[in-house]
Amino acid sequence: RELILSRKTDTDAPPPPELGLMVSEIEGQLTVLSSTSDDVAKYSKRLDELMSKFIELSKRTNKLNEMARVYNAQQLDIFSARLNRTMEEELERRDRSEEVKAT
């Protein structure tokens, strides 16, 4: 009976040194993972900020392109009207010139 009580059980034995090394490695990996998580969160936030800026710039670009399209259409109309007026004036001059030659 005394013999049974005096025997140490497996739970009383000190942990093997490899276990301490494994715990140390796991803690190191958790630290790296935590740091990486923080970096991912930081970069995700920065990406959101950049996407917001990109969307805003895209809206501004679309607005500028629409303004440029309207302006170019107006300029084309003006140019077309001037060209038509010039062609009519040239035709009138040619007609007058032919009338003068005919007389």
Side-chain angles (χ1 to χ4, degrees), residues 60-79:
R60 288 181 185 175
T61 300
N62 288 341
K63 187 174 181 178
L64 287 173
N65 285 340
E66 179 61 22
M67 291 170 64
R69 188 190 65 72
V70 168
Y71 176 79
N72 287 339
Q74 291 171 345
Q75 292 301 309
L76 183 60
D77 289 344
I78 292 169
F79 176 74

Side-chain angles (χ1 to χ4, degrees), residues 5-17:
L5 293 175
S6 67
R7 267 196 267 162
K8 287 190 170 186
T9 61
D10 288 339
T11 58
D12 293 337

Side-chain angles (χ1 to χ4, degrees), residues 13-77:
E18 299 85 22
L19 182 61
L21 183 61
M22 288 173 60
V23 169
S24 175
E25 286 179 19
I26 290 171
E27 287 173 343
Q29 290 173 355
L30 286 173
T31 301
V32 169
L33 182 60
S34 175
S35 175
T36 302
S37 257
D38 292 344
D39 288 346
V40 167
K42 181 174 67 174
Y43 294 132
S44 178
K45 183 179 177 184
R46 180 66 178 143
L47 181 60
D48 287 344
E49 291 170 358
L50 290 173
M51 284 301 293
S52 294
K53 287 180 182 181
F54 174 77
I55 290 169
E56 183 62 32
L57 287 174
S58 180
K59 288 178 183 177
R60 288 181 185 175
T61 300
N62 288 341
K63 187 174 181 178
L64 287 173
N65 285 340
E66 179 61 22
M67 291 170 64
R69 188 190 65 72
V70 168
Y71 176 79
N72 287 339
Q74 291 171 345
Q75 292 301 309
L76 183 60
D77 289 344

